[in-house]
Amino acid sequence: MACCDDPTEPKKLDRRELIRLQEQYGELVRDLLTEDPERVILKLLNGTGPYLTELAALNAHHASVRLRAIALLENASVAVLQQIVDKQAGSEFAAAAQARLAQLQR
């Protein structure tokens, strides 16, 4: 009798969804290997959630990615913006974070 979902059973992935994810992964790898990785990351940044955007704002390797991530942060990420201002005072990232904080406070 299977009346309920068994939490110990792994979730079954629809075959079409699996194929879509494999294609998406393949396209990402192809783009990273054949295009400018910085541009690929900037493109992907627009579709990420708040957590990944915050990580990019704090730690991204490319300066353009960090600056774009800072510009994308919203009110829920004020603490991250303030952390950037405090820990990287005098940098272009701190200036961008300060400007974004001012925009959010309007």
Side-chain angles (χ1 to χ4, degrees):
M1 287 196 254
C3 72
C4 306
D5 288 332
D6 183 359
T8 61
E9 284 287 319
K11 299 250 189 253
K12 298 215 188 301
L13 191 60
D14 180 30
R15 186 182 247 15
R16 290 172 294 196
E17 180 68 12
L18 177 62
I19 291 169
R20 187 187 68 75
L21 288 172
Q22 287 174 332
E23 288 175 354
Q24 183 180 12
Y25 175 77
E27 290 171 2
L28 174 61
V29 170
R30 183 197 67 223
D31 289 347
L32 286 171
L33 293 174
T34 60
E35 292 185 30
D36 178 16
E38 185 176 0
R39 285 184 38 216
V40 173
I41 294 168
L42 281 168
K43 186 170 72 173
L44 290 172
L45 186 61
N46 292 326
T48 63
Y51 176 73
L52 290 177
T53 305
E54 288 175 356
L55 281 178
L58 290 168
N59 299 316
H61 175 73
H62 299 287
S64 63
V65 174
R66 287 190 71 188
L67 292 171
R68 179 70 183 136
I70 289 169
L72 291 173
L73 292 176
E74 296 294 331
N75 284 326
S77 301
V78 168
V80 172
L81 289 168
Q82 192 59 51
Q83 181 181 352
I84 293 169
V85 170
D86 294 341
K87 291 190 176 190
Q88 299 177 7
S91 71
E92 64 180 319
F93 306 119
Q98 189 65 47
R100 184 65 182 152
L101 280 169
Q103 283 179 340
L104 292 175
Q105 291 174 350
R106 280 192 240 157

